[in-house]
């Protein structure tokens, strides 16, 4: 074999193996030939949390975590955030190229005309407890959409697929706003097709009795930028969930609901909610050093939420953009008093050995919550605001997966460490030790 290979020596047997290298990876299945005897199963890779395992080849999003670079289809996130529009970005993610003016007009028209949801969805929303978390409502109603569009299960049909993608991107803000209105006891507001994607979302959230809701252009643009920043982030936890569920060829509503479930967690999309709670708990700038001390002494139990990232070992470029945009938003909304605490946390953390050694920098969630709160979104809505734009990334990744001939149903292996085969014990013969373990 040539230079593009890896030589493995199995010290158990002394045997050598040549494994081909492609794009800096080996195929895990090539390890299977490494055996101690013909009936040995063969070598596997053990990688909890997939910290060093590529599950796919992708052409959508590029991240260089050490340098703090993020690109969608080759375009730097800074340029997209400064000059682009959110729906243009969704087109780019899904199709690989920026749209022409005519393509963009067609795409915006398609999405705009699918924003309405079936009336039964309102009844579904009405069935939740008065204090239901909007993310739970969103997850359930997105899953329920599969029952409204049974054709969606024909995932191998590109035209069918594309229809569901338009529906999902279009209906997400409607469902999100409905979930919010339900949680505060306000009547649902229908979409207004004369408004932009973000402008319409804001009017569905906040319109009360005025004939026409006036969308503040600064806040509309800020939301648009936040949506662009959150649209995709390659193989993160929720995207992997979408790909994994989608790999069984279930419909995109079910796969997207799985993504929302993954995003709900405090270590992923729930983090900006946690950042706000943490800032509130700290309470004032002078209490920051004591909190940092607590984080450092807790052995990983108390975390500085909004800090650290599996991939970024540098300042998250999205956090930089949000921090820069904050002043424009606060000029309209008034300064968020928690900002002082956040800035102090960042200042101290970025000069502290604990954080520097572990390469823990602010991530996208550190400042996004402050912006959302200033814009009037309740904390419960933060993960929902993440789910709306991430839907476009999930669906671009979902479609890429379906078109990738290399992909199969996701089915990881395990290293089994449980008991070896044993005989069934009748009830009266059992000692009870296992029951205690279960409790
Ligand atoms: N505060 C304090 N210590 C931390 C933090 C933090 N936020 N994050 C990681 N560490 C420490 C951790 O205790 C460990 O220390 P040690 O080596 O002494 O055991 C070390 O840094 C490595 O941490 P890890 O948990 O092995 O790293 P990971 O790559 O598995 O976790 C993470 C990544 C994002 C889950 C983690 O950094 C974290 O919990 N951050 C806070 C939650 C957060 O802000 N999440 C949003 C992520 S960005 C949005 C998104 O894409 O979802």
């Amino acid at each position: 074999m040539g230079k593009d290979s890896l030589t493995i020596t199995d010290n158990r047997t002394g045997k050598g193996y040549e494994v081909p290298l492609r794009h800096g990876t080996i195929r895990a299945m090539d390890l299977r030939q490494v055996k101690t005897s013909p009936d040995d199963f063969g070598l596997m890779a053990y990688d909890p949390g997939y910290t060093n395992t590529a599950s796919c080849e992708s052409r959508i999003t590029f991240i260089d975590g050490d340098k703090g670079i993020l690109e969608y289809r080759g375009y730097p996130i800074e340029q997209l955030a400064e000059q682009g529009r959110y729906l243009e970005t969704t087109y780019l993610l899904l199709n690989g190229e920026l749209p022409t003016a005519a393509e963009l007009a067609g795409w915006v028209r398609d999405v705009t005309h699918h924003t309405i949801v079936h009336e039964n969805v309102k009844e579904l929303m009405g069935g939740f407890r008065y204090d239901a978390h909007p993310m739970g409502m969103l997850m359930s109603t997105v899953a329920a959409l599969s029952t409204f569009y049974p054709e969606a299960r024909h995932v191998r049909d590109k035209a069918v697929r594309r229809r569901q993608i338009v529906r999902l991107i279009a209906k997400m803000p409607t469902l999100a706003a409905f979930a919010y209105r339900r949680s505060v006891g306000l009547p649902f507001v229908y979409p207004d097709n004369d408004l932009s994607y973000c402008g319409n979302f804001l009017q569905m959230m906040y319109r009360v009795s005025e004939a026409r809701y006036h969308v503040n252009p600064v806040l509309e643009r800020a939301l648009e930028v936040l949506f662009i920043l959150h649209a995709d982030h390659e193989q993160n936890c929720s995207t992997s969930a979408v790909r994994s569920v989608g790999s069984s060829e279930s419909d995109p509503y079910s796969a997207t609901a799985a993504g929302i479930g993954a995003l709900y967690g405090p270590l992923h999309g729930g983090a900006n909610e946690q950042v706000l709670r943490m800032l509130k708990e700290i309470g004032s700038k002078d209490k920051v050093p004591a909190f940092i001390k607590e984080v450092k002494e807790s052995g990983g139990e108390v975390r500085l939420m909004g800090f650290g990232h599996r991939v970024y070992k540098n300042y998250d470029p999205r956090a930089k953009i949000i921090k820069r945009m904050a002043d424009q938003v606060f000029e309209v909304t008034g300064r968020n008093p928690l900002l002082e605490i956040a800035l102090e946390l960042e200042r101290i953390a970025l000069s502290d050995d604990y954080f520097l050694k572990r390469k823990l920098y602010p991530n996208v969630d550190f400042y996004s919550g402050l912006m959302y709160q200033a814009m009037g979104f309740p904390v419960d809505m933060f993960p929902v605001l993440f789910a709306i734009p991430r839907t476009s990334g999930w669906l671009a990744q979902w479609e890429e997966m379906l078109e990738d001939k290399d992909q199969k149903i996701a089915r990881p292996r395990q290293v089994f460490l449980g008991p070896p085969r044993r005989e069934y014990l009748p009830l009266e013969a059992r000692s009870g030790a296992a029951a205690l373990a279960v409790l």
Side-chain angles (χ1 to χ4, degrees), residues 267-268 271 303-307 309-310 354 358 363 365:
L267 298 188
H268 191 9
R303 295 207 161 192
L304 176 45
M305 298 310 286
F307 259 67
H309 199 278
R310 172 62 58 78
Y354 176 95
R358 291 170 178 78
N363 61 49
D365 289 316

Side-chain angles (χ1 to χ4, degrees), residues 51 230 233 236-238 263 265-272 274-275 295-296 298-313 316 318 354-355 358-360 363-366 386 390:
T51 51
H230 285 87
H233 213 232
N236 54 85
C237 177
S238 57
L263 192 63
L267 298 188
H268 191 9
N272 54 7
Q274 299 306 321
V275 170
V295 169
K296 286 168 32 180
S298 74
E301 211 158 284
V302 182
R303 295 207 161 192
L304 176 45
M305 298 310 286
F307 259 67
H309 199 278
R310 172 62 58 78
V311 181
Y312 292 119
K313 299 303 167 198
D316 181 336
R318 300 167 300 172
Y354 176 95
F355 296 91
R358 291 170 178 78
K359 299 190 174 168
L360 300 170
N363 61 49
V364 70
D365 289 316
F366 195 63
F386 197 154
R390 184 53 60 85

Side-chain angles (χ1 to χ4, degrees), residues 229-243:
L229 299 181
H230 285 87
D232 195 48
H233 213 232
E234 51 117 312
Q235 309 313 315
N236 54 85
C237 177
S238 57
T239 302
S240 305
V242 169
R243 277 184 175 258

